[in-house]
Amino acid sequence: MQALGKHILVEFYGCNPEKLKDTKMLQTEFENAADMSGATVVDSTFHTFSPYGVSGVVVIAESHLTIHTWPEYGYAAVDLFTCGDTVDPWKAFSYLKSVLESNNTSTIEMKRGQLNDFEGQLRHKPACA
Amino acid sequence: MQALGKHILVEFYGCNPEKLKDTKMLQTEFENAADMSGATVVDSTFHTFSPYGVSGVVVIAESHLTIHTWPEYGYAAVDLFTCGDTVDPWKAFSYLKSVLESNNTSTIEMKRGQLNDFEGQLRHKPACA
């Protein structure tokens, strides 16, 4: 069965808490991770929470990367959702694991948009208007 | 086992294709859906793709809502990721199902950030700095 998207749900445990607080660094590194996986960055928005913790999103032409951090637990929830054959979200995963210095990860890969009755090649959005 | 977040992965099939192309309406309705579920909107960014299709993200204080649409297949991939006890992402789900006029949905609810060895109450990010 064909699917439009590939979505990796990542739990990064045992991270360096300082990395999970650094909003500016996380934004830069998430954009780097998108580049590295072959994705095209369209936009990104990262926010710092009180007393600490970061939420961030990179919108890519091929869907999105997101992160939510809990420095107090050394934990980050990361989603790597990509479409098309030219992007490899696992490259972003490996890079971000290293960036966050996570020593314990859990991942689930889901197929998104499974079309039972469609024949031919599935398209993803190729370019931002 | 306690978890920091609740993540609903939604496949909306059989949607009205015109709804899936309307970037401005989708942004407004996703912000409405966040409000309705009890979440606090921090930021949102929606983009139109060529020839059609929309990607959008609403960052909430309690994590995020995202959508990616394929009007040509009547399909939208939606993620509703929330933290804390005061937000009910299923309210957003019901509202968005109606907005998109989806006649066929598939949902999976995942727990995010399951902490085995933590005792006490888990916190989510209460306020944007």
Side-chain angles (χ1 to χ4, degrees):
Chain A
M1 194 185 299
Q2 295 188 86
L4 288 165
K6 183 186 292 185
H7 186 166
I8 308 175
L9 292 87
V10 188
E11 319 296 313
F12 281 128
Y13 297 104
C15 301
N16 178 338
E18 294 310 311
K19 304 286 182 182
L20 300 181
K21 295 176 184 175
D22 189 340
T23 309
K24 193 172 169 63
M25 179 279 290
L26 288 172
Q27 183 159 15
T28 300
E29 294 294 20
F30 263 70
E31 291 179 2
N32 288 344
D35 285 341
M36 198 165 296
S37 67
T40 302
V41 174
V42 174
D43 194 8
S44 75
T45 175
F46 278 66
H47 298 270
T48 310
F49 288 83
S50 175
Y52 32 62
V54 173
S55 282
V57 177
V58 180
V59 178
I60 55 178
E62 303 83 1
S63 296
H64 70 251
L65 313 183
T66 64
I67 182 169
H68 304 285
T69 78
W70 282 260
E72 65 273 44
Y73 306 126
Y75 167 73
V78 168
D79 287 83
L80 309 170
F81 185 165
T82 65
C83 305
D85 298 328
T86 59
V87 181
D88 181 357
W90 287 104
K91 290 185 179 169
F93 165 77
S94 299
Y95 183 68
L96 294 169
K97 182 176 189 300
S98 163
V99 165
L100 301 176
E101 301 174 20
S102 170
N103 63 23
N104 180 10
T105 65
S106 159
T107 60
I108 299 175
E109 181 177 321
M110 313 282 288
K111 300 293 182 198
R112 302 296 300 268
Q114 291 182 312
L115 304 182
N116 296 318
D117 53 359
F118 182 80
E119 292 184 7
Q121 191 180 3
L122 294 177
R123 283 189 333 101
H124 74 283
K125 300 182 227 28
C128 195
Chain B
M1 193 186 299
Q2 295 188 86
L4 288 165
K6 183 187 292 187
H7 186 167
I8 308 175
L9 292 88
V10 188
E11 318 297 312
F12 281 127
Y13 296 104
C15 301
N16 178 338
E18 294 309 311
K19 304 287 182 183
L20 300 182
K21 294 176 184 175
D22 190 340
T23 308
K24 194 173 168 63
M25 178 280 290
L26 289 172
Q27 183 159 16
T28 301
E29 294 294 19
F30 263 70
E31 291 179 1
N32 289 342
D35 286 341
M36 198 165 295
S37 67
T40 301
V41 175
V42 173
D43 193 7
S44 75
T45 176
F46 279 66
H47 298 271
T48 309
F49 288 82
S50 175
Y52 33 62
V54 174
S55 282
V57 177
V58 180
V59 178
I60 55 178
E62 303 83 1
S63 296
H64 70 252
L65 314 183
T66 63
I67 183 170
H68 304 285
T69 78
W70 282 261
E72 65 272 44
Y73 306 126
Y75 167 72
V78 168
D79 287 84
L80 309 169
F81 185 165
T82 64
C83 305
D85 297 328
T86 59
V87 181
D88 181 357
W90 288 103
K91 290 185 180 170
F93 165 77
S94 299
Y95 183 68
L96 293 170
K97 181 176 189 300
S98 164
V99 165
L100 301 176
E101 301 174 19
S102 170
N103 63 22
N104 181 9
T105 65
S106 159
T107 61
I108 299 174
E109 181 177 321
M110 314 282 288
K111 301 292 184 199
R112 302 295 300 267
Q114 292 183 312
L115 304 182
N116 296 318
D117 53 358
F118 182 80
E119 293 184 7
Q121 191 181 2
L122 294 178
R123 283 188 336 99
H124 73 283
K125 300 182 229 25
C128 195

